[in-house]
Amino acid sequence: MVAPEPQKNIPSTTAHPHKSRTGFNRLLHAFGYSLQGLVAGWNEKAFRLEACLAIVLIPLAFFVGRHWTEVALLAGAVLLVLITELLNSGIEAAIDRIGPELHDFSKRAKDMGSAAVLLSLVLCAAIWVAALYQRFI
């Protein structure tokens, strides 16, 4: 018996309708979804706290950094924390959608996301401490 050949590049009739958008229209909708993601993130206490710190730290990076590379490193470390927090919140939301029951894989996914946020915070703090030490001591 011969196995049927897999279908190649045939659009699915069940594909999400937004996937058919192209060009500027697709870019515009993607930007809108990104803004919705930021709004959803703002509803998370941890993200809101980190975003408020970013509002202070990113402008401060222009004062602390002596060259554009230092400013980029300081601001980038802060943005990395926000990015990691959003990804962690997305993981948690996906796990919570699956169900409220406790499961080892769910716990592991949430713990790993939390660990990623912790590591980004440690990296950010280390970069800022080193920059402040170099600038003022």
Side-chain angles (χ1 to χ4, degrees), residues 64 66 70 74 125-137:
V64 174
R66 294 182 187 167
E70 292 177 358
L74 289 165
I127 290 170
W128 274 86
V129 166
L132 290 169
Y133 179 81
Q134 181 183 5
R135 179 84 157 118
F136 298 111
I137 295 180

Side-chain angles (χ1 to χ4, degrees), residues 111-123:
D111 289 349
M112 291 169 82
S114 181
V117 173
L118 175 64
L119 291 176
S120 70
L121 286 166
V122 168
L123 176 64

Side-chain angles (χ1 to χ4, degrees), residues 1-83:
M1 181 165 180
V2 177
E5 275 190 43
Q7 295 180 350
K8 299 177 185 175
N9 297 329
I10 299 174
S12 172
T13 57
T14 60
H16 202 279
H18 301 296
K19 297 289 183 183
S20 64
R21 292 191 176 105
T22 59
F24 186 73
N25 189 25
R26 183 179 181 110
L27 183 65
L28 186 64
H29 280 85
F31 181 73
Y33 299 139
S34 297
L35 289 179
Q36 290 175 9
L38 287 172
V39 169
W42 187 256
N43 291 326
E44 299 286 329
K45 289 180 184 178
F47 180 80
R48 197 167 41 245
L49 173 64
E50 293 158 353
C52 289
L53 286 172
I55 290 169
V56 173
L57 290 177
I58 291 175
L60 190 60
F62 288 91
F63 173 72
V64 174
R66 294 182 187 167
H67 305 290
W68 73 268
T69 52
E70 292 177 358
V71 173
L73 186 61
L74 289 165
V78 173
L79 287 175
L80 181 64
V81 170
L82 295 177
I83 292 166

